[in-house]
Amino acid sequence: MLNVGILGAGRIGQVHAVNVAGNRESRLVAVSDVYAPAADALAKQYDATVRSSEEIIADPAIDAVLIATSTDTHSDLIEAAAAANKAILCEKPVDLSVDRARLCQSRTKEATRPIMVAFNRRFDPNFAALQKAAAGGEIGKTELLSITSFDPAPPPLEYIKVSGGLFRDMMIHDLDMATFLMGEAPVKISAVGSALVDPEIGVAGDVDTAVATLTYGDGRLAVIKNSRRAAYGYDQRVELLGSKGLLSLENIRESTISKATEKGVLSAKPEHFFLERYAQAYVVEWQAFVDAALHDTPVPATLQDGITALALADAAAQSAATGQPVALDL
Amino acid sequence: MLNVGILGAGRIGQVHAVNVAGNRESRLVAVSDVYAPAADALAKQYDATVRSSEEIIADPAIDAVLIATSTDTHSDLIEAAAAANKAILCEKPVDLSVDRARLCQSRTKEATRPIMVAFNRRFDPNFAALQKAAAGGEIGKTELLSITSFDPAPPPLEYIKVSGGLFRDMMIHDLDMATFLMGEAPVKISAVGSALVDPEIGVAGDVDTAVATLTYGDGRLAVIKNSRRAAYGYDQRVELLGSKGLLSLENIRESTISKATEKGVLSAKPEHFFLERYAQAYVVEWQAFVDAALHDTPVPATLQDGITALALADAAAQSAATGQPVALDL
Amino acid sequence: MLNVGILGAGRIGQVHAVNVAGNRESRLVAVSDVYAPAADALAKQYDATVRSSEEIIADPAIDAVLIATSTDTHSDLIEAAAAANKAILCEKPVDLSVDRARLCQSRTKEATRPIMVAFNRRFDPNFAALQKAAAGGEIGKTELLSITSFDPAPPPLEYIKVSGGLFRDMMIHDLDMATFLMGEAPVKISAVGSALVDPEIGVAGDVDTAVATLTYGDGRLAVIKNSRRAAYGYDQRVELLGSKGLLSLENIRESTISKATEKGVLSAKPEHFFLERYAQAYVVEWQAFVDAALHDTPVPATLQDGITALALADAAAQSAATGQPVALDL
Amino acid sequence: MLNVGILGAGRIGQVHAVNVAGNRESRLVAVSDVYAPAADALAKQYDATVRSSEEIIADPAIDAVLIATSTDTHSDLIEAAAAANKAILCEKPVDLSVDRARLCQSRTKEATRPIMVAFNRRFDPNFAALQKAAAGGEIGKTELLSITSFDPAPPPLEYIKVSGGLFRDMMIHDLDMATFLMGEAPVKISAVGSALVDPEIGVAGDVDTAVATLTYGDGRLAVIKNSRRAAYGYDQRVELLGSKGLLSLENIRESTISKATEKGVLSAKPEHFFLERYAQAYVVEWQAFVDAALHDTPVPATLQDGITALALADAAAQSAATGQPVALDL
């Protein structure tokens, strides 16, 4: 049994809490949050105690911590928890600074317990099956990857101002997915972006619509399309062209019902947003962490994966800002 | 080169005329119609002459006749044309009376030129491919056939009063399709019908919504669903369950465009009606007739097929009227 | 909090147990089974006690019983539990004898706690949404219902010999769904069936492939297609034609991935069988029962619904055996 | 009636010939080709005469010429035919040199008869409907266009060596489509390409897999993905994201049949290549030219459109070669 403390009781902490509590091999024992009412509410819901993050990390009866605090605290908490010999699942991004994330990696390199980064999409059964099919050679040699990733609506401007921007808070998922599916990091990235959805996003120095093109060492290509707005919901699709065919991953619809009338055939929209779309992914992700912590299975998304994705996001942001491609050596 | 006379210049005669004229091996030379302006218009369009049906049949320079007149004249014209040694393509049904159709078959049994019945759907590339797949064992032994066949809107009441009713003018196509796909005629048929679309259809003694269940000699089953109205257009689908899988034939849509909005994903309706849906079937059907007439290929839809379909339609109508299943020996 | 005893620890009892235990307002406290190891295993898994059905029913601390025993015990257990003032969720069918089920209904008519029959498909979000759309007039007046319901593979012959046969153990679900979607019971039913999948099923006096046609009082029609075998998995689809359009409910696929190669485009099969396909339906069903038991919401599937479905199944079996339609007055 | 001469009796000339002959308002009267047997065969098929291009252009009885010769002759022939007052339909590209094409435009600017460039995809009913839907505001303001365009297999190396390469012979279609759908030319283009399908293509100085990103004056974005090989056939799809939704254009499948087995659900591949996929587009294109020539309707694809597409192709090729984005002022 894995005794777990959750650091950060906000939206994503709550998403994880239900899986920590629902898993047969883990138990939610403690919760922390700088905003006390959030910690109280979450702790009460699962009969857990409220403590500070420091107290949780210091408690030898707690085996693992799930870091779901604000990004600027991630590196410090990882380092403290690793020093206290905890198994660690940390939300992405590891940090907004690649240098700081690398320092964190260096400082925790002696850790003997798993340190895992929460790239939830890798654990979605569909994405996982796609990766497996591609890696298994079902379409021969992969050549051209295309990721479509649109949010239903932009986040609040306040969030955008601190999130690191579209490339670091949104495209980072797709950049990690590209690495996951292509099996390696690209050697060059080129990106363009515009503020088309909301001019205020542009005023805030960010973009809301973007395209990035990735070139791999052997010439393979990938393209990522992002928009902060899709009127029809959360659009999460992938196409991967190989020498022997094309693998396509479609959205999950809200229902399997369609209605044919004189206007046409109306079918359901995609599931609305990540909480719905990736509900099962969060369950599988937590199980993968539990397996790594209790049963020594390999960590499926490492600190290095987090650093790679962040470095790619930085490079994409730089390319979009300068209009020049950025070479990478990851 | 096949010199062709078209008997009947109405809608279906016009459908055929374009294919007779467009085929490299056939030429439209004469047209007849009891309504002179119709004959004139069609003849003018294709540089053909207007003559009576008798004159066309009597002309030794004409090799083939296409019978697209009213149903009550079909048997007489087939017999006359066969006696004149014409190749014959006759629109369905052969007759509204099975007995009369059988007499026609008996009287033309010595004919040396092809006599073909125009079951257009057999020639549709999709239906033909489905039949081939089933006959080729792609789903093992066939067990359960399901045909969905809805018209976009009911015909005029006047038509219904002389057409023989839903079973003889509409379901007859599906009954023939069942025979085509199952490879034999059923031994029992049970049908129910209601006037739900338009009460006036009920007053006229017909139904507009019907279901027929067919049982084959070896226990295999088929079900046919008919409605005179589908708000979304012409619905023509088939499913065939076999021991190793299911073959499904979907509608052809008016376009391949879809539009995703906050209301859902709207895609195009099926092609509206038979002129659109079976445009290519009519081309292939005519080619099959030309091949039979000029190149001695087998006649793919015979007088016997026409009689079988008509007998099945009669039995379905009888079952719906009496509430009792009807045994068949075709 | 609803304290629950599960009577019957077989497959379906286990399906329910996870939801009883997982629901925030219910608690699994006791389990019974004539086969002691099954009861022990299930009880141990959820920290429940093992007792006899009689003991569970007699325990005033238990608020509700879930009857998942063999069908021949259902009526007796319902009556005993109702007499003991329990809320009751009973698996279908209520009984294999309509008379016995009606007696059970009569004997429990004074019960003040909910008695609910477990027609799981009514609670599936897709079926529920379809019913709501139809009842809400989204396609105008409903006219023609079509239900496709194929199991992936036949059950063991031993099961078929005691189950009441295809019409009572399999089509009963579809007959209830027809009542649910059409809003009333039919006045006539006609059915045909054959043993095509396995001749031994025929030897055992049952069929494995069947079609039933239902006629409603106002002339509306429904058709149900059943097969014990679909090589591609569990096929659960519905189409409902109305005056203004068609509602279609498609299968849920095992994944949203497709692979295009020179052979064609291969997409995933339907979810394999009812445990997968209706996993969510069981959760919703249990919540509906908890709501009825604790919050006095209406019982969404009553003893009367169970009797209606059983009477329809009897009539379908009779029609298939005699070759004659059966009139109904339900 | 439009009397037409076809210059060039190769594959694309033959594609057009059937439509010239089949159109009620045009007549194929003369054919030229530097390879005499090709001209003879085509002329014979349609009862046309064989002449030199110069003779055809000089013949006052010929109203229009269709230029389907090798690209290096297009500009000269356009100029000569315009000087002879012919209506002109010229295959794309206008020229491999933008400067030469501009000179041609300048030299023919006084022409009073239509000069049209054969961008066939604009006339495909699906693409045309998509453009109309976007221009009509069905998805609000367009923001992000994505074009997928894969050929089934690479052309012979000999063709690639003279075609101008992937960007000028293949992507040019997609670049024109982007202009057609976005309603204007972009201000910046960035492209990458690799030889992944066949290393020999790389040795010949070309690429076979490419991605181009287009930026419009108002920040809108478009991305084009090309591959010379798709094992499953000709892949021609478009997605256009707007402020109110997404328009998607899917492939046309070879059939509407699918087969569900234990391996999954297999449906048909896309239509194999452009002759099948755009057969109807060629018919509509020719009608549009006839309408412009006989009925003074606007020319739907002008010399300027041809120059724009060529300039975009040049810029994409330059970007892919230098690794730098290219600014445009078209």
Side-chain angles (χ1 to χ4, degrees), chain B residues 15 128 150 202 244 253:
Chain B
V15 167
F150 303 157
K244 294 183 180 170
R253 304 288 187 90

Side-chain angles (χ1 to χ4, degrees), chain C residues 11-287:
Chain C
R11 187 170 61 171
I12 193 68
Q14 294 164 30
V15 167
H16 287 296
V18 63
N19 297 323
V20 174
N23 191 292
R24 291 190 183 189
E25 297 184 280
S26 67
R27 185 158 44 200
L28 178 53
V29 296
V31 173
S32 72
D33 200 289
V34 292
Y35 179 60
D40 287 345
L42 191 61
K44 187 177 172 195
Q45 192 173 346
Y46 294 100
D47 288 324
T49 59
V50 173
R51 298 188 236 171
S52 71
S53 294
E54 292 69 28
E55 288 169 341
I56 290 173
I57 289 171
D59 183 348
I62 290 180
D63 307 302
V65 293
L66 192 158
I67 302 175
T69 52
S70 62
T71 299
D72 59 341
T73 66
H74 286 182
S75 293
D76 290 345
L77 289 171
I78 290 171
E79 291 167 11
N85 210 30
K86 303 291 186 246
I88 301 165
L89 177 60
C90 184
E91 267 303 317
K92 43 75 26 196
V94 175
D95 205 286
L96 282 187
S97 155
V98 171
D99 288 343
R100 180 65 189 91
R102 284 192 172 128
L103 182 62
C104 176
Q105 182 183 38
S106 165
R107 285 176 173 168
T108 59
K109 68 171 182 243
E110 306 297 334
T112 55
R113 313 289 335 266
I115 304 179
M116 177 168 151
V117 177
F119 282 118
N120 58 306
R121 290 184 202 173
R122 290 186 176 214
F123 302 95
D124 174 82
N126 285 316
F127 282 93
L130 184 76
Q131 189 275 338
K132 198 175 165 190
E138 287 200 20
I139 51 165
K141 182 174 173 300
T142 58
E143 293 170 351
L144 176 54
L145 170 68
S146 178
I147 297 178
T148 299
S149 178
F150 302 157
D151 281 356
L157 267 178
E158 291 67 35
Y159 174 79
I160 286 175
K161 288 172 182 167
V162 301
S163 75
L166 178 142
F167 295 103
R168 290 179 190 87
D169 82 50
M170 181 174 175
M171 193 183 277
I172 193 170
H173 279 290
D174 307 301
L175 292 163
D176 178 64
M177 184 49 61
T179 302
F180 180 56
L181 294 175
M182 298 297 263
E184 62 177 332
V187 297
K188 198 178 75 171
I189 189 163
S190 176
V192 293
S194 300
L196 300 172
V197 173
D198 182 356
E200 289 299 312
I201 291 175
V203 172
D206 197 12
V207 298
D208 52 37
T209 309
V211 175
T213 305
L214 289 62
T215 306
Y216 292 81
D218 54 1
R220 294 183 304 156
L221 301 173
V223 60
I224 297 170
K225 291 171 287 172
N226 276 177
S227 172
R228 292 281 197 187
R229 175 180 60 198
Y232 52 94
Y234 195 40
D235 196 341
Q236 297 277 294
R237 287 174 293 142
V238 170
E239 290 187 7
L240 183 47
L241 179 69
S243 54
K244 294 181 180 171
L246 180 83
L247 285 167
S248 303
L249 182 153
E250 294 294 320
N251 288 310
I252 300 174
R253 303 288 186 92
E254 288 185 337
S255 87
T256 65
I257 298 174
S258 67
K259 182 171 68 171
T261 66
E262 60 182 352
K263 292 178 184 170
V265 181
L266 186 71
S267 40
K269 292 183 293 186
E271 291 188 323
H272 184 66
F273 206 6
F274 70 97
L275 294 181
E276 296 84 12
R277 175 67 183 83
Y278 292 119
Q280 197 176 355
Y282 287 114
V283 174
V284 176
E285 179 184 67
W286 182 252
Q287 185 62 53

